[in-house]
Amino acid sequence: GAVVSQHPSWVICKSGTSVKIECRSLDFQATTMFWYRQFPKQSLMLMATSNEGSKATYEQGVEKDKFLINHASLTLSTLTVTSAHPEDSSFYICSAVGRGGVSTDTQYFGPGTRLTVL
Amino acid sequence: SQKIEQNSEALNIQEGKTATLTCNYTNYSPAYLQWYRQDPGRGPVFLLLIRENEKEKRKERLKVTFDTTLKQSLFHITASQPADSATYLCALEGYSTLTFGKGTMLLVSP
């Protein structure tokens, strides 16, 4: 139980293009989803928190117009990196907290998406 | 400012020994603390959660302690195996979000 998937697992794109990353909770309802970014040998940095059906809350320093987050259903959240630049290259990881046979205190993480912007 | 410190140097131990990893924090009063395992190129996997009113928690070969006076958590893996080699992250709860330490890499040699 408590499986979270991400798609794609890796993506390479040209500078200036937009990339969408999907995060799905497969066997539970995700009332809250989180998006993190992790640079090599660094800790996970929280980018934003999204609750189903409402606007995401972004952490300080994260541009909401650049990192568009949509949480339209209880099982799906998407992160779109708009006009990506090489400095956006990173490992993006989502997590979910939910209900339906899972602990409400625990974040369940997806496998991550490696974004490389050329 | 809030700070979470985990040993940045890798911990090398021999198979069968007990590994002990440390997580220290300052300027936090977390309701709970969590430990995760992260393998290279993968997302973190939840291991254990310990609440502020709990001193110790166990799960199979894993043991976590939480000392809110010292502001420290210790994570132990007994009878370690090469398959336990990974980076272990501690994370503190605050305002419904988690803040992660940088993690400590554990290397268990046969």
Side-chain angles (χ1 to χ4, degrees):
Chain A
V3 179
V4 176
S5 70
Q6 274 184 249
H7 178 79
S9 54
W10 59 270
V11 56
I12 302 172
C13 69
K14 289 183 180 178
S15 187
T17 60
S18 294
V19 173
K20 182 187 278 190
I21 302 170
E22 291 186 349
C23 176
R24 291 180 188 274
S25 58
L26 299 185
D27 52 1
F28 66 99
Q29 294 182 322
T31 50
T32 305
M33 282 183 164
F34 303 87
W35 286 95
Y36 294 84
R37 183 167 50 181
Q38 186 178 34
F39 293 105
K41 297 194 188 299
Q42 298 296 311
S43 63
L44 280 75
M45 297 300 297
L46 180 64
M47 299 174 68
T49 302
S50 76
N51 294 298
E52 186 260 341
S54 58
K55 286 185 180 177
T57 304
Y58 291 80
E59 294 299 301
Q60 197 171 9
V62 178
E63 300 173 56
K64 61 181 181 183
D65 294 330
K66 182 169 182 61
F67 298 100
L68 301 178
I69 291 171
N70 184 282
H71 190 168
S73 79
L74 279 171
T75 59
L76 173 65
S77 176
T78 59
L79 166 68
T80 302
V81 183
T82 61
S83 186
H85 290 286
E87 58 266 29
D88 299 322
S89 298
S90 187
F91 192 49
Y92 291 85
I93 312 172
C94 71
S95 70
V97 174
R99 59 174 184 245
V102 297
S103 167
T104 55
D105 288 332
T106 301
Q107 291 188 27
Y108 299 96
F109 284 82
T113 297
R114 172 77 57 196
L115 170 64
T116 303
V117 185
L118 302 175
Chain B
S1 62
Q2 297 173 327
K3 211 172 171 185
I4 302 171
E5 285 184 356
Q6 291 187 258
N7 218 338
S8 56
E9 288 184 19
L11 177 63
N12 286 277
I13 63 167
Q14 271 210 302
E15 184 175 9
K17 302 286 187 190
T18 296
T20 298
L21 307 176
T22 306
C23 176
N24 294 299
Y25 60 93
T26 54
N27 297 323
Y28 266 106
S29 294
Y32 56 81
L33 181 150
Q34 300 186 21
W35 283 89
Y36 287 80
R37 169 185 172 139
Q38 187 175 25
D39 290 285
R42 305 292 295 171
V45 173
F46 170 74
L47 297 174
L48 279 168
L49 179 154
I50 186 165
R51 299 186 188 281
E52 60 179 341
N53 60 348
E54 297 174 313
K55 291 241 186 286
E56 182 180 297
K57 201 109 177 235
R58 290 175 187 260
K59 179 182 173 184
E60 296 171 356
R61 293 185 295 113
L62 309 179
K63 184 178 90 171
V64 171
T65 63
F66 193 11
D67 188 326
T68 54
T69 303
L70 286 179
K71 294 188 183 295
Q72 181 182 77
S73 175
L74 298 178
F75 177 79
H76 306 271
I77 306 176
T78 58
S80 59
Q81 303 164 2
D84 296 326
S85 298
T87 296
Y88 292 86
L89 310 170
C90 78
L92 273 63
E93 174 273 345
Y95 302 108
S96 302
T97 62
L98 287 179
T99 303
F100 284 83
K102 286 186 181 179
T104 299
M105 183 184 293
L106 171 66
L107 297 169
V108 182
S109 50

